[in-house]
Structures are given as structure tokens and as C-alpha cells.
Amino acid sequence: RPDSSNILLAGSGAGRISKSTNGGATWHQVKSAGSSEIPKIVIDPSNPQVAYGSAFGGSPSSVLGVWKSTDAGENWSLTSLQGINIWSLDLDQSNPNILYAGTFEEYFAGIYKSTDAGTTWQFLDKGFLPFNSMWNLKINPVDGSTVFVGVTNNSFGFNGVFQLVDANAGVEGYVRDSVTSFIISTGTITNQPPGSSLSLSTSYGAYSFYRFTADTVSSHTFSVYLSGNLFKKQTIMLINDSILTQ
């Protein structure tokens, strides 16, 4: 704990949380079983009585989400973020009322943000794909507006590190067959500029592109390739302060 190296909180299996007050020599259980795992615990540096823990896996789903303690970890209750697999978790060191929590193995993948110590949450999903898993969140300790998250496709598939940024325009949707309207989940979609590409099998046919605030390019050409052959090509004009749905 920030105020005492002797006080420790740890996920101890099957959704339990245990606490030690003597540097780990002995432990007592402070949260009963529920979820499969408690992957992350964070403590408010300005008020160590307050702590949060993420919960992943298990049944019923009502045990999932973000848990909170206000009495130094002796008792825990779910915040309003519940029923969702949450793995990564971090809080702003300069403003501990601000928290970020990342989903894991969820179709609607993204980051949840709270600005009121977990009372309410805002879902930030732009730029992520279905079943992206947020393994690790990190907020810059001296600049809370800088947030990074390590992401995989599903549980262990390769992806990368994302940064939270502002965007002023974008386009999103699914690649569909023009005759049947079925979603096409094979092949590749490319975007010029900047020359990026996306596997439709990885994204389950979904695609998205968002323009950063400093970017002034409005015209983007999207090309869909199936078995290496051009299937469709379309130029889209982005509109400021709008998200186009295709």
C-alpha cells in the first residue's frame, strides 16, 4: 500500500481477495469467491482506504466488473460497472477519482472510464475490434491525459499498444455482400492514406478508421480484397465532428 509496505492486497484465486498487514507473513480473506480471477488491484495514493479490483471469468456474470473497498480492503462491493469481463485497471495518480478499466474476451471490446471514483462509467470503444482483450492499462503518473493499453486479438493473438487520443472524424461499419447483405469475414481491407490494412477474419468483418485532431486529410479510399483480388473500392469523404456508418 502507498502508505505502508506492510499492508498488501492480493487476488488469491477464484475471485477471492486476501490482505496482509505484516508484509505477507500472514493473510486473511477479505472478499469471498465469485469470479475466476482478480487480475488487478489498484489503491488510491491520496486515500489508501480506497481500493479497486477487476474481476474476470466465472458465473454468474453478476460477479464480474470492478469491485471497490472504502475501508482499507476489509469489505468489497461492485461498482456500477458489472456483468462484464474486466482485466486491466488503473487510476490517475494526480486525480484518483479517474479510473480506466479494460474489457477482456468481450464482443463489445473497449475501455471504461470513470471520473467519479467508480460511481458511473463511460464506454470508449472507438478503434477496437470485437474480442480485443485489454491486458494492461497504464496512465502516465505525471500527465493523466496520457493513457496506454496493451491489446491482443482474443486472449493471446498478436495486436499492439494503443494510446488514447482525440479524433474529430471517422468511418465505421461492416463489409457486406451487395447481393445478400451478409457480412464478409474473409479477405483484407486497406485504407489510403495512410496505407493501413486490416484482416477481415480478425475483425469479424468489421472495420473502423478515425482521424486524429491534427490530421487534415478528408478523402480516404478503402479497398476490399478477397483471395488477393480486388472486390470493392470506395472513396469516402470524412465529415468533421461526425462518425459515418457504412
Side-chain angles (χ1 to χ4, degrees):
R1 208 170 73 173
D3 60 328
S4 173
S5 60
N6 287 321
I7 302 176
L8 307 171
L9 293 170
S12 50
R16 300 178 182 89
I17 296 177
S18 294
K19 178 180 179 180
S20 174
T21 57
N22 53 12
T26 60
W27 296 81
H28 66 280
Q29 184 176 305
V30 292
K31 178 188 174 298
S32 59
S35 61
S36 297
E37 300 184 55
I38 303 292
K40 183 73 173 181
I41 296 174
V42 295
I43 300 174
D44 185 336
S46 63
N47 179 11
Q49 297 290 309
V50 177
Y52 303 87
S54 59
F56 164 79
S59 180
S61 62
S62 58
V63 300
L64 308 178
V66 174
W67 291 75
K68 180 178 182 179
S69 173
T70 57
D71 58 2
E74 292 296 332
N75 294 279
W76 294 80
S77 60
L78 269 172
T79 68
S80 61
L81 180 50
Q82 51 190 266
I84 299 167
N85 280 305
I86 298 294
W87 191 278
S88 52
L89 182 66
D90 201 8
L91 56 76
D92 187 338
Q93 298 291 309
S94 59
N95 184 355
N97 286 327
I98 298 177
L99 298 104
Y100 292 86
T103 64
F104 200 92
E105 294 185 350
E106 293 281 352
Y107 181 83
F108 295 104
I111 305 295
Y112 284 88
K113 178 183 180 180
S114 176
T115 58
D116 52 15
T119 301
T120 60
W121 298 84
Q122 174 191 5
F123 189 43
L124 310 175
D125 63 338
K126 304 305 182 187
F128 297 117
L129 298 173
F131 298 111
N132 277 170
S133 292
M134 318 298 160
W135 276 95
N136 195 23
L137 269 164
K138 186 62 179 177
I139 304 173
N140 187 325
V142 296
D143 178 9
S145 65
T146 303
V147 182
F148 295 94
V149 58
V151 181
T152 59
N153 293 327
N154 298 303
S155 296
F156 300 106
F158 175 80
N159 200 312
V161 176
F162 289 63
Q163 181 179 357
L164 178 65
V165 295
D166 290 329
N168 62 9
V171 58
E172 59 189 23
Y174 288 88
V175 177
R176 296 181 182 273
D177 186 295
S178 59
V179 176
T180 65
S181 293
F182 291 163
I183 294 173
I184 297 174
S185 56
T186 60
T188 303
I189 183 170
T190 64
N191 173 24
Q192 291 282 356
S196 57
S197 63
L198 173 68
S199 168
L200 294 174
S201 60
T202 300
S203 70
Y204 301 91
Y207 70 93
S208 61
F209 171 77
Y210 305 98
R211 186 181 65 189
F212 301 154
T213 302
D215 190 351
T216 59
V217 178
S218 295
S219 178
H220 291 265
T221 299
F222 293 85
S223 301
V224 176
Y225 293 88
L226 301 180
S227 301
N229 299 311
L230 181 63
F231 173 74
K232 184 178 181 180
K233 186 174 184 179
Q234 181 178 358
T235 298
I236 296 175
M237 297 296 295
L238 300 181
I239 302 173
N240 286 341
D241 302 318
S242 299
I243 303 296
L244 303 177
T245 301
Q246 296 288 311

